[in-house]
Amino acid sequence: MADEPAINANFESFYAKRAGARTYPTEFVVRIFLAQYPGLRFAKPAPGARILDVAFGDGRNTGFLCEQGFDVAGIEITQGIVDQTTARLASHGLKADLRVGRNTSIPFPDASFDVILACACCYYCDEGETMQDNLREYARVLKPGGTLIASVADRASYIFQGAEPLPDGSCRIAQDHYGNRVGYRLHGFADRAGLEAYFSPAFQDFSFGHASNDYFGIGEKLFWIVCRRT
């Protein structure tokens, strides 16, 4: 079983080491919001659209979303991370409504958001909960027809090496290059068909992308998914 307080503390310490440093948005996020592709069905929201950045970390995507003129909120797992990133945004003249929350406990009312960005986080599962629980909570706070933008782990990614498969489809992580996720449960997918079937109870109109990167010995593989709340 995961030692969640220790994992929370590890992540807070991890982000604290970047205090004061300039951060840069994730490439797939920039591409989705600023570029156009034949297989991507996503109309960029108008300025003022309400967007939730789930697991914002050091705020690299939060700041980017603020700079696009959106009304940005976000959640993270500790108050320490919230405070660090609030201060970083303020140092660049930016502001977002950042709060403590988790994938299955988002502290906002029903139908609050036009868009949810879940960058490398929707597949993290707390003990006693599943990724389906995460998706139901996302659907709860999205407006009808609202858009979910997410990156989702490919089961062939490095993070699943030696991991223990569990009955709900998640895996308990055995090794982590960054030292933050050992013992935690992550849910991965083998193909787009499996992704669409898993998301379909709450979402529709899917666009998919895929990344396979070798970061000098770290083989990271991710699916990108854009879909709308049913």
Side-chain angles (χ1 to χ4, degrees):
M1 183 173 294
D3 184 349
E4 289 185 7
I7 290 172
N8 293 354
N10 287 344
F11 273 108
E12 184 172 318
S13 175
F14 179 76
Y15 293 125
K17 294 174 183 177
R18 303 180 186 180
R22 180 72 182 179
T23 59
Y24 302 91
T26 305
E27 181 182 355
F28 101 90
V29 176
V30 176
R31 288 182 178 274
I32 286 176
F33 279 91
L34 299 186
Q36 295 181 346
Y37 299 98
L40 175 60
R41 295 187 296 277
F42 175 63
K44 181 180 176 181
R50 184 78 164 148
I51 297 184
L52 177 67
D53 187 4
V54 178
F56 54 77
D58 57 18
R60 60 186 56 220
N61 296 319
T62 319
F64 168 76
L65 295 172
C66 291
E67 290 168 346
Q68 306 313 303
F70 302 132
D71 180 6
V72 183
I75 61 166
E76 255 297 352
I77 56 177
T78 75
Q79 187 62 46
I81 300 174
V82 169
D83 293 343
Q84 293 164 18
T85 300
T86 298
R88 177 180 285 111
L89 291 175
S91 72
H92 296 292
L94 303 173
K95 184 178 180 180
D97 182 1
L98 305 184
R99 306 182 187 183
V100 175
R102 304 188 76 87
N103 274 326
T104 57
S105 181
I106 298 174
F108 291 94
D110 295 357
S112 291
F113 298 100
D114 300 291
V115 178
I116 288 178
L117 172 63
C119 182
C121 62
C122 69
Y123 52 92
Y124 284 60
C125 302
D126 287 339
E127 293 299 329
E129 297 171 339
T130 69
M131 187 173 166
Q132 282 290 351
D133 296 321
N134 299 349
L135 296 179
R136 280 191 288 270
E137 181 70 347
Y138 289 5
R140 181 187 70 78
V141 298
L142 267 175
K143 296 176 182 178
T147 300
L148 171 62
I149 301 167
S151 54
V152 184
D154 185 322
R155 281 293 298 271
S157 190
Y158 79 98
I159 193 63
F160 294 107
Q161 293 178 2
E164 175 193 358
L166 299 172
D168 70 335
S170 67
C171 294
R172 192 171 303 282
I173 301 305
Q175 53 188 352
D176 177 15
H177 173 72
Y178 297 105
N180 294 325
R181 295 168 286 185
V182 173
Y184 206 79
R185 292 168 44 242
L186 298 163
H187 197 124
F189 294 85
D191 52 42
R192 297 178 184 185
L195 261 175
E196 183 167 343
Y198 197 89
F199 277 65
S200 287
F203 296 94
Q204 61 185 356
D205 296 339
F206 296 92
S207 300
F208 293 104
H210 186 264
S212 179
N213 301 304
D214 182 351
Y215 293 114
F216 304 96
I218 300 296
E220 181 186 72
K221 299 178 186 293
L222 291 168
F223 292 100
W224 303 326
I225 182 169
V226 178
C227 51
R228 291 192 307 109
R229 180 193 156 186
T230 54

